[in-house]
Amino acid sequence: RADIKMQYKQLCVWNLKLSDAGIYTCEYGSQKVHTSLHIFKLTVSLDGHFLQNEAPELILMQNSSNPLPDLSITLFDSNNNRVTAELQNKSRQKYIVNLKKLQLMDNGTWVCQVHSDSPLINQNISFYVNVLGFQNPDLERKYATVDSTVILSWHLNYQKIKWKKGFTGQLNWKQQESANTHELLDFNVTAQGQLHETKKSSNLLFEIPERKPESTIEVKLPKVHFNHSGQYQCQLEYQGRHTQSKIELVVMKVSANPVGPLSRGANMTLTCQVSGSLPPNAYLRWERVNGTKKDIKNSKQHEVKLEVNISAAGLWSCHLIENSDRKISLHYPVEEAPVWINYVIIGASIGGSLLAFALGCLCIISGISWQRRRQRAKRMAQARQYLLENKTCQCQQ
């Protein structure tokens, strides 16, 4: 591991070890020159490859022929910001430093600055931190309308760093927290950055879009159903550790009762409903396009279903509004019934009324006739009884 360059009076040593520390003497004739070699060794846990929210541990060791100095350690992240670290164990030979939980922005070259006043030491030791994870928010919410097409995407940052080994993962879906989990697909990435995906589930009609140059895991729902809502969790595993990212899919649908054209003077109930709970700053709104303020109705907080009774035809729209932004909208056209249908309805109403009146009159007449026949039969029975009584009396005489 050593080589001597005679022309420069140099000794070159490769792959230094802590045991190489000490005093080196160069003899040239009667001249002697002594040089003290102080060696530092910085070890990063997990070989410098981390997942999101993992906290690295640094171990700094030193060796010297002289008494070991008392060191002060300062860390700077990839953005050259000073990092607050916890010094867990401190001895003259070994320093253990615990760092905060890492995020994707921490990926890059860090600097460990070592300082000592006696002897004077100012040494910067660079080390690389690889942070693998999803660039999505912790819990992303995505809205879609029934029968629309939606693409759920999870963005990885693995192409920005060099991985010694590939990693694997899977995509799961469940409608509710307590529901059964459906595994949609498995994937793995090789060290060359090649992504392989395998479809696992037939419970949900979905497609895997064409692979893009950026590192993404995507699922395409070509025609969203109301029951396609729920949590879609993408889980990434690397060397027995894993990280995950969730996307909450909320689906909206609208309906009408009764279905069909709106007749003059009639009413219709429009219902707008979403499949999942809404955040406190989100609500539903019904409104008629080019209508008035009277045609607007907002849902209350945490309401996932909004009904509105209408008597005017036109294009009605249900909006899902979050933080004053319209996330999705679903339109429902309410047509006005043609005039002849109104006349038919009016005629049917009048005809029905006349028929009911006629039936009522017929029932009254029939009732009167039946009552008269009953009274006549009663009188005749009384008369026969009277005659029988009289005949009996004459026979006795």
Side-chain angles (χ1 to χ4, degrees):
R1 296 189 292 117
D3 186 24
I4 298 177
K5 297 181 180 180
M6 296 300 297
Q7 65 272 29
Y8 300 110
K9 310 297 187 295
Q10 289 181 345
L11 172 65
C12 296
V13 182
W14 297 282
N15 297 327
L16 287 174
K17 302 178 181 178
L18 286 173
S19 58
D20 293 329
I23 297 176
Y24 289 75
T25 302
C26 177
E27 296 183 1
Y28 187 75
S30 59
Q31 297 182 0
K32 292 184 179 181
V33 178
H34 304 284
T35 300
S36 177
L37 180 60
H38 193 128
I39 296 181
F40 297 98
K41 180 183 178 181
L42 180 64
T43 303
V44 185
S45 61
L46 300 175
D47 199 23
H49 294 76
F50 302 95
L51 300 178
Q52 280 177 286
N53 297 319
E54 288 185 338
E57 182 183 79
L58 304 181
I59 299 177
L60 179 67
M61 301 187 68
Q62 64 172 338
N63 193 13
S64 175
S65 59
N66 299 320
L68 296 176
D70 188 13
L71 302 176
S72 64
I73 300 174
T74 307
L75 294 174
F76 296 90
D77 62 15
S78 57
N79 299 313
N80 202 28
N81 297 321
R82 185 169 179 172
V83 177
T84 302
E86 179 185 356
L87 189 60
Q88 182 179 2
N89 184 31
K90 177 180 177 182
S91 66
R92 291 295 179 94
Q93 185 180 9
K94 183 178 181 181
Y95 295 79
I96 299 179
V97 182
N98 292 325
L99 277 68
K100 63 176 184 178
K101 292 183 179 180
L102 295 175
Q103 301 300 325
L104 295 183
M105 63 184 69
D106 296 324
N107 185 67
T109 302
W110 288 49
V111 175
C112 177
Q113 189 178 85
V114 181
H115 175 77
S116 172
D117 293 328
S118 178
L120 182 61
I121 298 175
N122 284 303
Q123 184 71 33
N124 290 334
I125 305 174
S126 299
F127 61 99
Y128 202 80
V129 173
N130 299 315
V131 185
L132 174 66
F134 298 95
Q135 296 175 334
N136 301 56
D138 291 337
L139 179 58
E140 184 178 355
R141 184 176 283 105
K142 195 173 184 67
Y143 299 109
T145 56
V146 170
D147 294 334
S148 66
T149 299
V150 63
I151 296 180
L152 306 178
S153 301
W154 290 264
H155 302 277
L156 299 170
N157 71 328
Y158 72 90
Q159 287 191 346
K160 297 181 181 179
I161 54 183
K162 296 180 180 179
W163 289 95
K164 296 181 181 180
K165 298 180 181 179
F167 58 85
T168 61
Q170 61 184 16
L171 178 63
N172 302 319
W173 164 63
K174 59 182 179 179
Q175 286 190 274
Q176 297 175 354
E177 283 292 337
S178 59
N180 295 329
T181 300
H182 304 281
E183 186 179 351
L184 301 185
L185 62 89
D186 287 342
F187 62 90
N188 64 80
V189 181
T190 65
Q192 291 76 26
Q194 296 176 341
L195 179 64
H196 301 281
E197 297 163 316
T198 304
K199 204 169 181 180
K200 300 287 289 185
S201 175
S202 58
N203 296 322
L204 180 66
L205 181 62
F206 69 96
E207 301 174 4
I208 302 175
E210 295 183 3
R211 193 161 303 137
K212 298 181 180 180
E214 61 267 18
S215 50
T216 57
I217 303 295
E218 290 186 342
V219 167
K220 179 181 180 181
L221 305 178
K223 194 172 183 180
V224 177
H225 296 166
F226 193 71
N227 58 359
H228 287 168
S229 61
Q231 289 186 355
Y232 294 77
Q233 176 177 284
C234 190
Q235 185 178 84
L236 179 69
E237 184 173 342
Y238 178 73
Q239 293 184 348
R241 299 124 55 205
H242 66 272
T243 183
Q244 61 270 337
S245 177
K246 292 181 181 180
I247 295 179
E248 179 85 15
L249 179 61
V250 180
V251 183
M252 173 194 284
K253 68 176 181 179
V254 297
S255 59
N257 185 27
V259 179
L262 182 63
S263 303
R264 185 179 302 175
N267 291 327
M268 177 184 292
T269 301
L270 298 179
T271 303
C272 181
Q273 186 176 358
V274 292
S275 58
S277 60
L278 296 177
N281 52 353
Y283 60 94
L284 299 174
R285 168 181 290 179
W286 268 116
E287 68 177 6
R288 185 164 68 99
V289 178
N290 297 327
T292 63
K293 292 183 178 180
K294 296 181 179 179
D295 299 325
I296 297 176
K297 184 178 181 181
N298 296 330
S299 66
K300 298 179 181 179
Q301 191 174 6
H302 302 303
E303 277 187 344
V304 296
K305 186 177 181 181
L306 178 63
E307 294 183 349
V308 59
N309 294 321
I310 65 170
S311 58
L315 183 61
W316 289 81
S317 300
C318 181
H319 309 290
L320 196 157
I321 302 175
E322 183 178 359
N323 291 328
S324 302
D325 295 330
R326 290 183 181 180
K327 295 297 182 180
I328 51 172
S329 298
L330 199 54
H331 308 292
Y332 193 92
V334 178
E335 298 181 356
E336 187 175 3
V339 177
W340 66 270
I341 292 182
N342 293 327
Y343 289 153
V344 169
I345 295 175
I346 294 173
S349 300
I350 296 175
S353 300
L354 293 176
L355 180 61
F357 179 75
L359 290 174
C361 293
L362 183 61
C363 291
I364 292 173
I365 295 172
S366 299
I368 293 173
S369 299
W370 178 79
Q371 185 69 22
R372 288 178 177 176
R373 287 195 300 271
R374 184 178 178 184
Q375 290 178 356
R376 187 182 302 115
K378 186 177 180 181
R379 287 196 298 270
M380 290 178 67
Q382 290 176 351
R384 285 196 297 271
Q385 182 67 26
Y386 176 77
L387 292 174
L388 288 174
E389 291 177 352
N390 289 337
K391 287 181 179 180
T392 302
C393 292
Q394 292 176 358
C395 290
Q396 288 178 349
Q397 290 176 357

